[in-house]
Structures are given as structure tokens and as C-alpha cells.
Amino acid sequence: MIVVVKSGTPEQEINRICLELSTTWRITPEKIAGKHKVVIGMIGDTADLDPLLVQEVSPWIEQVLRVEKPFKRVSREYRHGEASEVTVSTPNGAVTFGENQPVVLIAGPCSVENETMIVETAQRVKAAGAKFLRGGAYKPRTSPYSFQGHGESALALLAAAREATGLGIITEVMDTADLDKVAEIADILQIGARNMQNFSLLKKVGAQDKPVMLKRGMAATIDDWLMAAEYILAAGNTNVILCERGIRTFDRSYTRNTLDLSVVPVLRSLTHLPIAIDPSHGTGVCALVPTMAKGAIAVGTDALMIEVHPNPAKALSDGPQCLTPERFERLSQELAIVAKAVGRWQQPAIAHV
Ligand code: PEP
Ligand code: MN
């Protein structure tokens, strides 16, 4: 349930309303100041609460809205219908993910293999316009016999690539036991599709400060995904970016997964969180990546995460879906055309009025 307070309500009255709400009904009020108004989110079991009784708490209350969805903190209503932004500091400066910001490019190999390849890839993707380098140190692999990532030593290589280029680093944390060491290097922590509902991991990343990119589970509904994000916000971390990476459907003959681009407008109506699209895992086929990346910008994604490897044929993981640095450079130019057409390239778009 959300209490919308009239604009111009004195701060003291807002605090009094919060106090009365928390003492009368065992809920936790959370004050959220927007551009024009303050809303109070009522966290707790509000199922049996009569909105008319809440309305009587103060003549300054404009409206009491029931949030029909199970998620609250991630819901669009919770932020007065406005989009939130996630700003990440990198050595090259702050980068902001959000609906009214330029599309952010994240690129790099599936896994960190050695120092030369990660530093060279970082330099190439930076030159093509990427703001973040991706690369797995800890890899979730279907087979226990496949390359599992170089672990801690790969984190040091990511730090070297950051040092060489100033790019921000995004890398996956698979296990709560590794969180501190991954968070020491990463500018954004990635939660992989297979861990989307690892609730202990979600609570832990929610209780620390680094921004989180939460990938959609391969069989997750949108509600499942948003409830997973709710865990992170409920634990205190509001810097969450949602990343669509394809879901399992019946046809796996031509694509590895089915990239759900319709999720972008759907999420826009449901949540204030920024959205990223990963067309590499979303298709599993390098030839399909450019087309889907352009499509993702056209439907309004805030960021793209693309796998790039200097020699895809020799990659230790996900070679078939990796672009070469040359192809990524060309793609970046192609993306610029689409992104400029929708006002999302370099210069921030004019905010909606
Ligand atoms: C990855 O980004 O390399 C990865 C393993 O992604 P996902 O969790 O989406 O499969
Ligand atoms: Mn991969």
C-alpha cells in the first residue's frame, strides 16, 4: 500500500503520519521523496488494511493506493511512476543507467582467460565505446568438466584491465563465500541466471553497497524476477539493474535461448529499475547478436551486454556467441544510428514531460 501525500505538506506532518501509521498498524513506513511529491510506502502485511481508515490519518493525505502486485520496492508506483537511475563510478568517471540516459555498452569475453586477452579486449571495447568490461572469474557451467573460470586470479586480471583502461568492471558472484573478494574488484556485481533465486546470495548482495546486475532466470516469469530484485532492495541496496538474457522455450534448434524483447516495455510499466539486454546469451549465435542488439535499443533498453573475444574459435567458454573486436567496433557504429534515432546516444535524451 502506498500513501501519497499532498504537495506542500510540512515535513513535521509527514513524520507524524509515518509515526501514526507504524504505531496503529504494524507496518514500516518508508518515505520516498520524488520531484514533486512525497509518497510513503507501507511495508508489511497490508492485505486486510482498509485504505479509507489510512486516509483518515491526516487531511494532508491525497490518496491511498493498494499495490496489487507482490513486489513493492521495485514497483513503478513506489517511485511515483518515475524511473530510477543507477550511477556507477568508474576510473573514467560516473556512468548512469536509466531511462533518460544514453545506452550504456558493456562488453568483454565470457570468461577471463589470461592477462593479455583481457587487457587487449578491454582496450578494444573501450575504443569502440564500451563503458564497462565484462568477464567471468567464477563461471556457472552446465558440466562440472567444463572450464570453471580462473577464480581469484582472474579477479586480479580484471583489476589490471581496469587499471589499463579505466573501464568499470562487471563480473559474476556465484557464491556468498566469494562476495567480499568479488566486490573488492567489481564495480557492478552480476548475479547470473542460474542464481536468480539464490535467496541467501540476493540478501547478501542487498546488504552491501556495490550495484547489482540481476539476470533473469532462464525459466523465470517476470514476477519471479521482480520478486528476486525485491529481495535486494528489501535488504537495503536500491542500485539494481535488470538484465534479460533469454528464456528457455521449446525451440532450441536455431537459438540457444529466446530473447524476450517484449520484456522491456512490460518492465517499464511495472518497475522503476533500469533494464539491460544481453543478446549474446539471449541468442547464443554471434550472427544474430547485432540484429538483436539494434532491436533492443529500438525497444528502449538502457544498456547492452555483449560478449566479445579476440579469437572466438579458441574461447574457453561461449565462443559461438562471441563477437570479434572488429565486429563489435562496427556494431557500435550501427548501434549509434539506432540510438540517436531514439535520443539515447551520448547526449542524454530530453526527459519526458
Ligand atoms: C554470463 O554472463 O557469462 C553468464 C553466465 O550469463 P547467464 O547467467 O545469463 O547464463
Ligand atoms: Mn557467457
Side-chain angles (χ1 to χ4, degrees):
M1 191 173 279
I2 284 170
V3 176
V4 183
V5 180
K6 290 179 184 160
S7 50
T9 305
E11 188 65 24
Q12 214 181 355
E13 177 61 8
I14 297 174
N15 292 339
R16 194 199 64 76
I17 296 171
C18 287
L19 188 67
E20 188 165 336
L21 293 175
S22 63
T23 46
T24 316
W25 298 283
R26 292 227 238 100
I27 53 102
T28 312
E30 202 173 272
K31 213 165 44 176
I32 314 134
K35 275 198 199 111
H36 308 293
K37 278 189 187 144
V38 171
V39 305
I40 302 167
M42 308 224 326
I43 306 296
D45 189 3
T46 55
D48 296 331
L49 211 60
D50 181 352
L52 290 175
L53 285 179
V54 178
Q55 181 88 47
E56 280 171 16
V57 167
S58 166
W60 291 95
I61 293 178
E62 185 173 286
Q63 221 182 353
V64 180
L65 301 169
R66 208 172 255 302
V67 180
E68 302 296 343
K69 299 278 183 265
F71 40 85
K72 301 181 193 307
R73 286 177 162 91
V74 306
S75 75
R76 190 96 193 178
E77 293 102 311
Y78 205 76
R79 300 277 304 214
H80 327 252
E82 287 166 20
S84 60
E85 294 188 337
V86 173
T87 298
V88 187
S89 48
T90 76
N92 290 337
V95 181
T96 302
F97 295 75
E99 193 181 298
N100 297 308
Q101 297 291 330
V103 174
V104 178
L105 297 184
I106 303 165
C110 181
S111 322
V112 178
E113 297 175 7
N114 58 62
E115 181 158 2
T116 313
M117 72 80 78
I118 196 68
V119 173
E120 280 179 18
T121 308
Q123 283 160 341
R124 295 292 297 271
V125 299
K126 181 189 175 187
K131 298 275 188 271
F132 288 87
L133 175 71
R134 61 145 292 142
Y138 299 91
K139 294 303 305 176
R141 304 305 302 279
T142 302
S143 164
Y145 309 116
S146 300
F147 175 58
Q148 303 286 306
H150 289 307
E152 217 168 328
S153 63
L155 293 176
L157 301 183
L158 286 169
R162 193 224 265 116
E163 181 76 25
T165 59
L167 290 178
I169 300 294
I170 172 162
T171 193
E172 178 163 353
V173 54
M174 281 176 58
D175 191 323
T176 52
D178 303 321
L179 177 58
D180 290 345
K181 50 181 187 256
V182 178
E184 211 173 293
I185 301 299
D187 299 294
I188 302 177
L189 294 167
Q190 178 174 323
I191 302 289
R194 294 156 187 82
N195 262 326
M196 189 204 80
Q197 283 187 316
N198 180 337
F199 299 117
S200 19
L201 185 58
L202 297 176
K203 286 181 196 166
K204 280 266 165 60
V205 297
Q208 58 81 61
D209 292 337
K210 285 283 165 82
V212 177
M213 178 172 279
L214 178 66
K215 290 193 128 190
R216 181 183 185 177
M218 56 186 84
T221 64
I222 292 170
D223 280 356
D224 292 339
W225 189 14
L226 290 174
M227 288 309 286
E230 185 84 13
Y231 265 87
I232 305 174
L233 271 78
N237 189 347
T238 54
N239 289 316
V240 175
I241 301 158
L242 299 166
C243 180
E244 160 67 30
R245 46 78 72 206
I247 48 175
R248 282 280 167 90
T249 56
F250 52 87
D251 194 338
R252 301 196 69 208
S253 315
Y254 305 102
T255 52
R256 179 180 179 185
N257 293 297
T258 298
L259 184 64
D260 180 8
L261 286 185
S262 67
V263 87
V264 178
V266 173
L267 287 175
R268 281 285 184 240
S269 68
L270 295 175
T271 180
H272 55 84
L273 296 174
I275 305 162
I277 295 286
D278 171 352
S280 306
H281 293 87
T283 62
V285 182
C286 63
L288 301 178
V289 170
T291 313
M292 298 314 286
K294 284 178 264 187
I297 293 184
V299 298
T301 193
D302 303 323
L304 279 168
M305 182 150 92
I306 295 175
E307 286 191 338
V308 176
H309 192 285
N311 187 354
K314 293 263 171 64
L316 296 182
S317 57
D318 284 350
Q321 67 193 36
C322 286
L323 300 185
T324 60
E326 294 75 25
R327 185 64 188 97
F328 181 69
E329 277 156 23
R330 267 195 293 128
L331 174 60
S332 178
Q333 290 164 17
E334 294 162 18
L335 295 178
I337 297 168
V338 184
K340 280 177 190 161
V342 294
R344 304 287 302 275
W345 198 248
Q346 262 104 40
Q347 294 304 315
I350 296 156
H352 303 294
V353 280

